[in-house]
């Protein structure tokens, strides 16, 4: 079993889908933001505020090297900017979760923890800038992906089933 790397924009549902995939398979999952938070003993929002985005991106880079060397058979859920790592494809099979920007924002706003979900993501503070970032990244996500899943209006469970089905073709 090769690693699976979930990429996609903030709020698209990487975490929820990862939780369904592990219920349906032998994978266990880890999350790059969680690992960075435990490395630093502070949350992503604080890292951005206190040390800046460049510092955070450096941690992502360091983590990407570590993942490539040390992690196998794992579903790796990533922060929305992690896909830029040069060695992404050496870490595992890249699965892009895709949905239009407006649907992603709607999904976050409809969540029972919407305020918390928006607050913890510094790059979603300004929706206009977030949309620009989305437009800039969309072709980049698509270009690096081995598999793309359109998650729009689908349950996390259905997306997880589709993911496992598609991944099988690469086994
Ligand atoms: C980021 C996405 C966030 C987190 C950080 C930066 C990005 O993760 O890594 O706030 O650049 O898109 P999620 O995609 O889990 O929100």
């Amino acid at each position: 079993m090769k690693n699976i790397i979930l990429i996609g924009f903030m709020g698209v549902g990487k975490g929820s889908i990862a939780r369904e995939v592990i219920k349906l398979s032998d994978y266990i999952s880890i999350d790059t933001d969680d690992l960075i938070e435990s490395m630093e003993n502070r949350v992503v929002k604080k890292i951005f505020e206190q040390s800046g985005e460049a510092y955070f991106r450096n941690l992502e880079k360091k983590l990407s090297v570590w993942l490539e060397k040390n992690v196998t058979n794992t579903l790796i859920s990533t922060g929305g900017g992690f896909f830029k790592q040069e060695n992404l494809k050496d870490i595992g099979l890249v699965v892009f979760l895709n949905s239009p920007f407006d649907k992603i924002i709607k999904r976050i706003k409809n969540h029972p923890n919407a305020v918390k979900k928006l607050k913890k993501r510094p790059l979603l503070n300004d929706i206009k800038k977030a949309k620009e970032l989305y437009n800039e990244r969309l072709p980049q996500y698509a270009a690096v992906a081995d598999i793309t899943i359109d998650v729009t209006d689908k349950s996390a469970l259905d997306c997880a089933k589709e993911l496992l089905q598609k991944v099988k073709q690469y086994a």
Side-chain angles (χ1 to χ4, degrees):
M1 240 163 52
K2 214 175 161 184
N3 292 321
I4 298 173
I5 309 162
L6 286 187
I7 65 164
F9 202 67
M10 292 169 271
V12 78
K14 289 165 289 189
S16 318
I17 294 167
R19 284 187 284 280
E20 295 301 330
V21 172
I22 62 167
K23 285 187 214 159
L24 297 173
S25 69
D26 291 333
Y27 285 100
I28 68 143
S29 73
I30 57 177
D31 179 296
T32 58
D33 281 346
D34 290 349
L35 289 169
I36 286 173
E37 289 185 348
S38 48
M39 278 155 73
E40 289 282 302
N41 195 26
R42 50 188 177 151
V43 295
V44 169
K45 184 171 183 270
K46 277 269 175 275
I47 300 174
F48 268 68
E49 279 169 10
Q50 295 171 341
S51 308
E53 182 173 346
Y55 180 87
F56 175 79
R57 299 298 173 202
N58 245 338
L59 293 173
E60 286 190 317
K61 192 174 175 57
K62 184 175 174 185
L63 182 57
S64 74
V65 174
W66 183 84
L67 288 168
E68 184 186 341
K69 283 196 192 140
N70 296 293
V71 175
T72 51
N73 304 334
T74 300
L75 175 68
I76 304 168
S77 185
T78 65
F82 189 86
F83 76 103
K84 296 207 173 177
Q85 302 312 315
E86 276 169 25
N87 66 341
L88 194 72
K89 283 183 174 286
D90 299 319
I91 304 175
L93 191 68
V94 181
V95 179
F96 168 39
L97 305 180
N98 187 24
S99 192
F101 182 76
D102 294 349
K103 291 277 185 179
I104 293 175
I105 298 304
K106 207 168 159 193
R107 179 180 178 273
I108 299 175
K109 288 192 170 160
N110 285 338
H111 196 279
N113 282 333
V115 175
K116 204 171 147 205
K117 291 209 165 268
L118 280 168
K119 253 189 162 174
K120 74 170 202 177
R121 296 180 161 107
L123 299 179
L124 279 185
N125 282 347
D126 179 334
I127 292 293
K128 197 169 161 260
K129 278 199 187 141
K131 184 160 190 172
E132 283 165 17
L133 185 63
Y134 174 91
N135 288 336
E136 178 191 317
R137 282 183 182 170
L138 186 61
Q140 301 171 356
Y141 286 129
V144 79
D146 296 303
I147 294 171
T148 296
I149 298 179
D150 182 355
V151 304
T152 313
D153 297 328
K154 290 181 194 159
S155 70
L157 177 61
D158 283 344
C159 295
K161 285 180 185 163
E162 188 176 331
L163 181 150
L164 287 168
Q165 197 60 38
K166 289 188 168 163
V167 163
K168 250 193 221 163
Q169 295 158 20
Y170 286 82

